[in-house]
Amino acid sequence: MDAKEIFNKALNTNYLIIDEGELKTVLDNSEIIRVEDTHLSDFIRVLKYDDKLFFQETTFKKEILIRKMDSMKDVDFFVQERLDYYERKWDGCGCKIDYYE
């Protein structure tokens, strides 16, 4: 899939699973707004494509997910929620994240 197809699919679903080649296409064709290292499960990224915001992350199963975000406020909340989770996970909380909600 090309970048336009990937982002259009992501607009119409809760999340889209892509492969590493598609991730490269996504990153090469979008504006990277923010990058955070989770230290446990690769990076989380906030991307902008065609004036729309997207969130990209990698699950513990090594699945690469992209999801559309409605606003920067939603993005900031979601990023902070994920970073807080990874911080607790790093401390050994035993908590689990539902990547597919």
Side-chain angles (χ1 to χ4, degrees):
M1 277 190 284
D2 67 18
K4 184 175 182 176
E5 290 174 306
I6 294 167
F7 284 112
N8 282 339
K9 276 190 168 187
L11 287 173
N12 297 308
T13 186
N14 289 340
Y15 62 88
L16 178 66
I17 299 173
I18 61 172
D19 63 33
E20 287 185 30
E22 291 168 325
L23 176 60
K24 180 174 178 4
T25 299
V26 162
L27 296 178
D28 288 347
N29 289 281
S30 63
E31 178 184 351
I32 300 172
I33 305 284
R34 183 173 175 183
V35 177
E36 297 284 346
D37 189 347
T38 68
H39 302 285
L40 291 173
S41 188
D42 202 27
F43 295 93
I44 54 177
R45 296 176 182 92
V46 177
L47 309 170
K48 189 174 188 179
Y49 180 84
D50 197 26
D51 288 324
K52 294 174 182 70
L53 296 169
F54 296 86
F55 182 85
Q56 181 271 312
E57 65 186 329
T58 303
T59 70
F60 288 129
K61 296 178 184 177
K62 304 295 183 210
E63 294 173 314
I64 303 166
L65 304 183
I66 295 181
R67 67 183 79 234
K68 182 183 181 309
M69 303 302 290
D70 293 324
S71 68
M72 275 309 292
K73 182 179 177 182
D74 290 344
V75 166
D76 290 340
F77 177 81
F78 201 78
V79 168
Q80 192 57 54
E81 183 178 69
R82 286 298 199 253
L83 292 176
D84 290 347
Y85 162 78
Y86 284 113
E87 183 65 30
R88 288 190 314 273
K89 185 80 172 163
W90 186 257
D91 290 340
C93 75
C95 48
K96 297 188 188 263
I97 190 166
D98 184 357
Y99 290 102
Y100 312 103
E101 61 180 280

